[in-house]
C-alpha cells in the first residue's frame, strides 16, 4: 500500500520533499469516521459485487441481469464466524490487485476498467475500507478471465500481501470473493439474522439475485416499478402498504415522479396530517437501485414539506460516504423538476377533484401558499379554493371580491380581532390577513389581476368609518371629554367620541402596528441608559403617536360616564372601561394597565358597599 503523497513540483533550487502519511491513521479515519455506522460494510460489499457484474456484462455486450448473481455466506454458516460474499463479475488480475486494492481513493471503475463512470455505483475507491469497522483483516480472492486466481490480504494496520491462490483456493470461474473475520464484539453484525436484514435493507431492489446462506433475500417490484400484470388499484394498494411500512402513515395520495436528466424515477407520498415546515423532510434515495440514504434532505423544494418520497437515480452524485447526495447544478435542476411534478398534481386535482383539493388545503395550505407567492397557477388555486377568515364567515378571496368588491383586510391578527365586530356593524367586510403569507398573497393577487382592488384596514383607518357627533352633541360632552382626557393621558391613551354599532359596545381600543412600535420605543427609552436612549431615539418619529380609546356615544353607559360630575368616580369608571376595551381586543396588560384594573375594580366595589350601607 503506497505510504506517501507527492506534492507539486517545487520551484528551481528547492529540494523536493514527500508527505509522510500514517496509513493506520488514514484507515482509521476512513473506516471509523467517514461512515455513520459499521452496518454500511454490507452496502459497500454489495456495491463492489454489483459493479463487478456490471463491468463484465458490459464487456460481453449482454444484459447483466441475465446471469449476474451475488452469494453471501453468514458467520452462522462458517466454522470461524467469518462472512464471505461472492460474485461472478469481472474479477481482477494480479497487477490490478496491486494497483487498485492498495491505493486509497483510486476508482477501479473509472481508471482501470475503462467504462463510463455513471454505469457504476462506486466512484471513490474507498468503500472496501468500511469493512475494517467489523473486521481487522480483509481477504479478497479474485480471478479475471484467462488469468490465475489471486489472493489479496489487507490488515487495518495498513499492510497487505498479494500472492497466487493455492490450488485448493482456485476459483472455477471469473469473479471475486471477499472474506471478513469478525473483530471482537462485531460477531453479531456478521450473523445470519443481521446480514439478511442488511442485505434486504440496502439491496432489496438490486437487479441481480442475492442469496444469504442459500436463500434468496432480494426481488419483488420496487416502489417505482410498474409491473405489466399489476392493475392501477393493485399498485396503489402496494404503494400505500409500502408507505405505511417505511414512513409510518397512510398517504393522502401517491404521485409518480420522473426526471430524465437525472435518470430519476420514484414516488411521492402526500402526508395526510400537517407537517412542521421548520423540520427538513427526509426522503428515501436509491442510487442505481442500491439504498443510498433513508434521510436525504433538500431533494424537494422547501415548500414541499408535506411530501415524503422514495426515488431511484442513476445520474445524481453521492457524497464520499455514499450516504447523501452531492449538491451541484444537476441536483438543483432535479429539485426544480420534482417541484414542477408536484405542482402539476395540484393543478390536476383542482380540475378533476376539487373536493379533494379543498380537503388537501385544509391540511397543507401553508406549503401551497408559499408556492403561490411566485407561481400564478398556485395563486389561482389559493384564490379559488382556500377559504380565508373574514368577519362575514369563511370566504375564498374570489368569493369575497365577487360579494364585496374591494378586498379590505387587516395585516395583523390582533387588529382583526379588535376591528372585525365593529367593522361588521358598520357594514364593512374585512379579511383576516394576519396569518402566514396571507397579506403577501393579497398584494400579489392585486398585481397579477388588475381587476381586483385591495385595501388594508388599520386601526387608525376605522375611525374614518365611524359616525361623528353633531355639533350640539359635541358641545354637550365637551366638559366630560376634557376631564376624561386627563385621566387617559396618565395611561398613555387619547380619547375619541364617536357613534357606532353595535350600540351595546361602550368603548373600542384602537392600536395599529406603527403606533404600537412607537409606544414600545418610548417605554424602552425610559428604561435605557444614555447611550441606548440616543440610539432608540433615532427610530422615533415626529409627534407622539398614541393609541385611542373610542367612546361610543350610542351606548348609554358611555354617555353617563362622560356626564359624571364626581371626578373620582369618573376616573374610576373610565379606567374600568379602558381595561375592558383592552381585554376585548386581546391586548396585553402593562403594569400600569393592571394597576388601573385593580384600582377601578376595587374603587367601584368600595362605592357600591358604601352606598349599600347608607
Amino acid at each position: 500500500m503506497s505510504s506517501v503523497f507527492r506534492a507539486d513540483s517545487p520551484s528551481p533550487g528547492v529540494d523536493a520533499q514527500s508527505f509522510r502519511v500514517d496509513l493506520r491513521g488514514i484507515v482509521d479515519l476512513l473506516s471509523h469516521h467517514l461512515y455513520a455506522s459499521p452496518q454500511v460494510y454490507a452496502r459497500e460489499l454489495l456495491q463492489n459485487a454489483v459493479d463487478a457484474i456490471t463491468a463484465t456484462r458490459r464487456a460481453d455486450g449482454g444484459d447483466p441481469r441475465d446471469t449476474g448473481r451475488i452469494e453471501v455466506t453468514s458467520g452462522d454458516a462458517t466454522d470461524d464466524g467469518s462472512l464471505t460474499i461472492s460474485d461472478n463479475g469481472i474479477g481482477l488480475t494480479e497487477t490490478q490487485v496491486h494497483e487498485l486494492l492498495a491505493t486509497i481513493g483510486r476508482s477501479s471503475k473509472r481508471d482501470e476498467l475503462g467504462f463510463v463512470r455513471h454505469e457504476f455505483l462506486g466512484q471513490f475507491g474507498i468503500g472496501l475500507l468500511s469493512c475494517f469497522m467489523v473486521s481487522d483483516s480483509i481477504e479478497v480472492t479474485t480471478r479475471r478471465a484467462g488469468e490465475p486466481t489471486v489472493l489479496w490480504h489487507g490488515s487495518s494496520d495498513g499492510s497487505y500481501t498479494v500472492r497466487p491462490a493455492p490450488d485448493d483456493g482456485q476459483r472455477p470461474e471469473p469473479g471475486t470473493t471477499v472474506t471478513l473475520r469478525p473483530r471482537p464484539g462485531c460477531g453479531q453484525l456478521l450473523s445470519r439474522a443481521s446480514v439478511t436484514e442488511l442485505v434486504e435493507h440496502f439491496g432489496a431492489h438490486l437487479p441481480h439475485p442475492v442469496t444469504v446462506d442459500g436463500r434468496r433475500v432480494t426481488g419483488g417490484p420496487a416502489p417505482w416499478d410498474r409491473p405489466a400484470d399489476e392493475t392501477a388499484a393493485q399498485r396503489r394498494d402496494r404503494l400505500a402498504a409500502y408507505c405505511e411500512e417505511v414512513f409510518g402513515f397512510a398517504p393522502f395520495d401517491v404521485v409518480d415522479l420522473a426526471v430524465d436528466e437525472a435518470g430519476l424515477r420514484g414516488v411521492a407520498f402526500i402526508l395526510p396530517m400537517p407537517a412542521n415546515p421548520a423540520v427538513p423532510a427526509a426522503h428515501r434515495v436509491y442510487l442505481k437501485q442500491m439504498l443510498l440514504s433513508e434521510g436525504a434532505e433538500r431533494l424537494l423544494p422547501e415548500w414541499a414539506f408535506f411530501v415524503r418520497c422514495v426515488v431511484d437515480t442513476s445520474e445524481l452524485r453521492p457524497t464520499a460516504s455514499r450516504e447523501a447526495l452531492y449538491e451541484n447544478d444537476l441536483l438543483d435542476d432535479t429539485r426544480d423538476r420534482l417541484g414542477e411534478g408536484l405542482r402539476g398534481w395540484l393543478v390536476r386535482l383542482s380540475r378533476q377533484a376539487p373536493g379533494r383539493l379543498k380537503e388537501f388545503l385544509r391540511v397543507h395550505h401553508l406549503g401551497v401558499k408559499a408556492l403561490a407567492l411566485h407561481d400564478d397557477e398556485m395563486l389561482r388555486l389559493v384564490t379559488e379554493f382556500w377559504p380565508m377568515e373574514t368577519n362575514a364567515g369563511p370566504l375564498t378571496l374570489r368569493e369575497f371580491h365577487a360579494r364585496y368588491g374591494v378586498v379590505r383586510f387587516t395585516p395583523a391578527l390582533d387588529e382583526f380581532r379588535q376591528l372585525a365586530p365593529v367593522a361588521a356593524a358598520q357594514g364593512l367586510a374585512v379579511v383576516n390577513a394576519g396569518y402566514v403569507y396571507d397579506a403577501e398573497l393579497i398584494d400579489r393577487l392585486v398585481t397579477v389581476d388588475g381587476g381586483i382592488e385591495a385595501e388594508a384596514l388599520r386601526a387608525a383607518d376605522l375611525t374614518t368609518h365611524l359616525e361623528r357627533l353633531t355639533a350640539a352633541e359635541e358641545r354637550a360632552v365637551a366638559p366630560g371629554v376634557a376631564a376624561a382626557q386627563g385621566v387617559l393621558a396618565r395611561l398613555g391613551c387619547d380619547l375619541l367620541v364617536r357613534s357606532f354599532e353595535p350600540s351595546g359596545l361602550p368603548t373600542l381600543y384602537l392600536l395599529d402596528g406603527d403606533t404600537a412600535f412607537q409606544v414600545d420605543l418610548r417605554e424602552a427609552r425610559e428604561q435605557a441608559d444614555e447611550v441606548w436612549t440616543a440610539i432608540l431615539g433615532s427610530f422615533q418619529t415626529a409627534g407622539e403617536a398614541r393609541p385611542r380609546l373610542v367612546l361610543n356615544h350610542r351606548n348609554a353607559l358611555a354617555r353617563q360616564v362622560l356626564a359624571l360630575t364626581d371626578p373620582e368616580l369618573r376616573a374610576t369608571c373610565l379606567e374600568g372601561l379602558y381595561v375592558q376595551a383592552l381585554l376585548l381586543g386581546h391586548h396585553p396588560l402593562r403594569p400600569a394597565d393592571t394597576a388601573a384594573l385593580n384600582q377601578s375594580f376595587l374603587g367601584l366595589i368600595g362605592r357600591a358597599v358604601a352606598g349599600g350601607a347608607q
Side-chain angles (χ1 to χ4, degrees):
M1 206 178 267
S2 174
S3 62
V4 296
F5 294 122
R6 298 283 182 186
D8 293 337
S9 298
S11 303
V14 178
D15 292 336
Q17 301 292 325
S18 296
F19 289 106
R20 297 189 179 277
V21 178
D22 179 359
L23 283 185
R24 182 175 300 191
I26 291 294
V27 169
D28 178 76
L29 173 66
L30 295 178
S31 64
H32 291 86
H33 302 285
L34 179 66
Y35 300 103
S37 165
Q39 294 178 337
V40 299
Y41 85 89
R43 183 192 66 196
E44 298 303 324
L45 291 177
L46 286 173
Q47 170 217 296
N48 289 340
V50 170
D51 284 345
I53 294 171
T54 302
T56 190
R57 301 302 175 248
R58 291 288 187 268
D60 295 342
D63 188 340
R65 292 173 294 184
D66 293 339
T67 55
R69 67 179 187 276
I70 303 170
E71 299 171 349
V72 182
T73 302
S74 72
D76 291 344
T78 58
D79 295 334
D80 58 356
S82 62
L83 174 142
T84 63
I85 178 169
S86 300
D87 64 71
N88 61 341
I90 196 167
L92 300 173
T93 66
E94 183 174 349
T95 301
Q96 290 171 332
V97 166
H98 277 287
E99 177 65 20
L100 304 175
L101 297 185
T103 305
I104 296 173
R106 184 75 169 272
S107 174
S108 62
K109 299 85 182 174
R110 179 178 71 252
D111 300 326
E112 293 299 321
L113 299 179
F115 295 105
V116 180
R117 179 188 301 186
H118 71 258
E119 292 182 352
F120 300 93
L121 290 167
Q123 298 179 9
F124 299 95
I126 57 178
L128 196 62
L129 293 176
S130 66
C131 297
F132 284 125
M133 290 190 289
V134 297
S135 176
D136 284 325
S137 66
I138 304 172
E139 186 177 286
V140 178
T141 305
T142 183
R143 179 190 165 208
R144 187 73 173 261
E147 299 286 341
T149 302
V150 178
L151 179 62
W152 179 89
H153 185 278
S155 298
S156 58
D157 63 4
S159 63
Y160 74 93
T161 61
V162 180
R163 60 185 175 87
D167 293 340
D168 59 354
Q170 293 291 319
R171 287 184 58 91
E173 63 176 349
T176 300
T177 298
V178 179
T179 302
L180 306 179
R181 291 176 176 80
R183 300 178 61 182
C186 294
Q188 178 61 29
L189 290 172
L190 307 187
S191 67
R192 180 181 296 119
S194 293
V195 171
T196 301
E197 181 181 356
L198 292 174
V199 170
E200 290 178 338
H201 180 69
F202 290 112
H205 305 305
L206 288 174
H208 316 294
V210 182
T211 62
V212 176
D213 296 342
R215 184 177 71 88
R216 181 166 179 173
V217 295
T218 61
W224 49 83
D225 288 338
R226 296 190 176 192
D229 59 347
E230 187 178 58
T231 66
Q234 289 172 333
R235 183 170 184 266
R236 170 61 190 248
D237 291 342
R238 174 170 63 85
L239 291 175
Y242 174 89
C243 182
E244 286 200 76
E245 178 183 355
V246 173
F247 295 109
F249 63 86
F252 174 85
D253 207 348
V254 177
V255 184
D256 285 306
L257 303 173
V259 180
D260 293 340
E261 293 82 357
L264 184 145
R265 50 188 179 153
V267 179
F269 300 103
I270 310 300
L271 285 161
M273 63 284 190
N276 185 351
V279 178
H283 308 288
R284 197 176 181 94
V285 177
Y286 288 78
L287 179 63
K288 303 176 186 70
Q289 299 175 257
M290 174 79 79
L291 180 62
L292 181 74
S293 174
E294 292 183 281
E297 300 177 358
R298 293 183 48 76
L299 180 66
L300 298 180
E302 290 185 0
W303 56 263
F305 53 83
F306 52 84
V307 177
R308 300 294 181 269
C309 64
V310 53
V311 300
D312 178 59
T313 177
S314 60
E315 301 297 329
L316 294 176
R317 290 179 56 193
T319 57
S321 65
R322 291 178 34 77
E323 295 173 355
L325 291 173
Y326 183 77
E327 287 283 348
N328 56 14
D329 291 341
L330 179 58
L331 181 57
D332 289 340
D333 293 340
T334 300
R335 188 181 296 123
D336 292 340
R337 293 288 301 278
L338 292 176
E340 291 174 6
L342 293 172
R343 172 189 177 277
W345 167 75
L346 285 169
V347 173
R348 291 192 301 273
L349 204 62
S350 71
R351 295 170 179 169
Q352 300 171 5
R356 287 274 288 167
L357 177 63
K358 291 180 180 179
E359 183 182 350
F360 168 82
L361 288 175
R362 280 196 293 271
V363 180
H364 299 301
H365 57 89
L366 196 60
V368 180
K369 288 195 290 186
L371 179 58
L373 292 178
H374 54 81
D375 186 285
D376 292 350
E377 189 65 29
M378 293 300 101
L379 181 64
R380 180 188 68 81
L381 294 186
V382 172
T383 302
E384 294 183 3
F385 293 98
W386 173 240
M388 300 182 73
E389 181 182 0
T390 79
N391 63 347
L395 294 171
T396 67
L397 287 177
R398 192 66 64 186
E399 292 170 337
F400 189 95
H401 176 258
R403 186 179 300 181
Y404 300 106
V406 177
V407 179
R408 289 188 177 88
F409 66 95
T410 57
L413 179 60
D414 288 340
E415 283 186 307
F416 178 80
R417 287 172 174 170
Q418 62 177 313
L419 300 183
V422 178
Q426 316 315 309
L428 295 176
V430 182
V431 176
N432 178 13
Y435 296 112
V436 178
Y437 302 131
D438 285 356
E440 295 93 325
L441 286 173
I442 293 175
D443 289 341
R444 190 168 188 279
L445 178 62
V446 172
T447 302
V448 172
D449 189 340
I452 293 181
E453 180 184 354
E455 175 186 296
L457 182 65
R458 311 303 294 262
D461 301 328
L462 184 60
T463 58
T464 63
H465 297 277
L466 303 180
E467 182 181 340
R468 301 180 66 92
L469 273 61
T470 64
E473 290 171 334
E474 286 189 352
R475 286 194 298 271
V477 299
V481 169
Q485 289 281 18
V487 175
L488 294 177
R490 297 196 300 268
L491 297 170
C493 185
D494 289 335
L495 178 68
L496 193 66
V497 181
R498 292 288 187 270
S499 294
F500 57 87
E501 295 293 338
S503 59
L505 183 67
T507 55
L508 178 65
Y509 183 83
L510 298 181
L511 175 67
D512 58 33
D514 294 338
T515 301
F517 174 75
Q518 292 298 321
V519 170
D520 292 341
L521 200 61
R522 285 197 300 271
E523 293 180 354
R525 290 189 66 191
E526 292 173 0
Q527 301 175 13
D529 57 26
E530 184 176 347
V531 174
W532 277 105
T533 298
I535 294 174
L536 294 174
S538 63
F539 296 98
Q540 202 159 358
T541 58
E544 187 176 358
R546 291 152 65 104
R548 292 179 175 182
L549 182 69
V550 184
L551 261 66
N552 187 0
H553 193 262
R554 291 182 184 174
N555 182 269
L557 178 62
R559 294 196 303 271
Q560 291 171 356
V561 169
L562 285 178
L564 289 171
T565 57
D566 184 339
E568 183 180 348
L569 179 60
R570 180 171 52 218
T572 300
C573 292
L574 282 171
E575 288 173 346
L577 291 176
Y578 164 79
V579 176
Q580 185 213 28
L582 288 179
L583 295 176
L584 289 176
H586 302 276
H587 297 283
L589 298 184
R590 302 168 301 161
D593 302 330
T594 303
L597 172 63
N598 293 333
Q599 183 174 329
S600 62
F601 181 70
L602 296 176
L604 291 174
I605 290 179
R607 288 264 186 171
V609 170
Q614 292 178 358

